[in-house]
Amino acid sequence: MRGINQVSIKPVINLTFAACLRSVLRQDPDIVMIGEIRDSETADIAIKAALTGHLVLSTLHTTTSAGSVTRLINMGVEPFLLSSTLIGVLTQRLVRRLCPKCRQELEVSKSIREKYLIGKDAKVYRAKGCNSCQAGYKGRIALGEYLQSSLKLRNMINTSASEHALKKEARLEGMETLREDGLAKINEGITSLEEVLKTTGPDESVK
């Protein structure tokens, strides 16, 4: 792709994420994409790159969007630096998409609909299986949870607020959880309740 330079890391010769990033920043790029932040050195350079005006994109292994903040602080990033540079965090999970040819409508009790906020008129489907799919599913679709940094969240990050407190505030500001996004896709007949519950975990709140 024109205008894009890519470097593959090779730790054997000390060509690490951190080493590459130092070299890349000397080229004054507009956008830097780091495959993964997995150590404190990479996190430190990524934050400093963001402070100097570069847009830095990366991946991080956490379970929730708010958990990414806690993870970076645990890796040694100073809270005041993180609060100054973080724009947003997108958490995603892939769920299997129901086969439109063989999906079967499922009778769902009133208590289950109320518990999982499924519309009373929404049709809920389950996987069946046919010659056009694999066990009732065909393809996958992403569930997303986007935490957008706001003034209040930045102040909370600055004081090293807990993951629970950050998530609570983000939800008050309109963030939808992975579970809620999954339930929206159930209401649209895209995936099954079983698939969403399995992917988002038993403890994910919907209220």
Side-chain angles (χ1 to χ4, degrees):
M1 297 176 69
R2 291 186 61 187
I4 295 179
N5 293 326
Q6 179 177 333
V7 181
S8 297
I9 66 166
K10 196 171 184 180
V12 177
I13 60 172
N14 202 33
L15 190 62
T16 61
F17 279 114
C20 286
L21 196 50
R22 287 195 198 93
S23 178
V24 165
L25 291 178
R26 295 190 190 103
Q27 301 173 37
D28 193 28
D30 297 315
I31 302 171
V32 179
M33 185 168 185
I34 307 168
E36 180 186 349
I37 294 178
R38 61 176 70 174
D39 57 62
S40 57
E41 189 177 13
T42 306
D44 180 61
I45 297 173
I47 292 295
K48 287 176 180 175
L51 280 170
T52 55
H54 301 87
L55 175 61
V56 180
L57 308 173
S58 186
T59 62
L60 193 66
H61 286 281
T62 58
T63 53
T64 65
S65 296
S68 299
V69 174
T70 307
R71 173 81 174 122
L72 286 168
I73 291 175
N74 287 341
M75 291 173 87
V77 176
E78 293 288 350
F80 73 91
L81 292 177
L82 185 58
S83 66
S84 300
T85 55
L86 185 68
I87 297 173
V89 184
L90 174 66
T91 300
Q92 67 174 18
R93 296 285 185 279
L94 290 175
V95 294
R96 293 179 294 175
R97 187 191 291 264
L98 283 166
C99 174
K101 291 186 177 180
C102 68
R103 65 181 184 179
Q104 279 190 336
E105 190 172 343
L106 180 67
E107 289 294 329
V108 181
S109 67
K110 182 180 178 181
S111 60
I112 293 295
R113 287 182 181 273
E114 290 177 350
K115 180 178 180 180
Y116 295 113
L117 307 181
I118 300 172
K120 64 177 182 179
D121 297 322
K123 291 183 178 180
V124 179
Y125 297 92
R126 69 178 181 88
K128 181 184 178 184
C130 67
N131 294 330
S132 299
C133 65
Q134 293 183 337
Y137 294 96
K138 191 171 185 179
R140 296 192 291 178
I141 190 169
L143 305 184
E145 174 183 295
Y146 182 65
L147 181 150
Q148 183 170 348
S149 183
S150 65
L151 178 59
K152 188 164 185 180
L153 281 170
R154 287 196 293 271
N155 289 335
M156 292 176 70
I157 293 170
N158 209 22
T159 57
S160 299
S162 67
E163 177 181 343
H164 175 74
L166 290 170
K167 182 176 181 179
K168 184 176 180 181
E169 175 58 31
R171 298 198 66 197
L172 288 173
E173 294 181 12
M175 182 186 81
E176 288 189 348
T177 64
L178 288 170
R179 172 66 61 82
E180 288 167 336
D181 190 31
L183 293 174
K185 288 176 171 59
I186 291 171
N187 279 315
E188 295 171 24
I190 296 173
T191 190
S192 65
L193 178 60
E194 177 187 22
E195 188 73 3
V196 169
L197 296 182
K198 179 181 72 174
T199 306
T200 58
D203 300 324
E204 180 65 66
S205 172
V206 296
K207 294 184 179 179

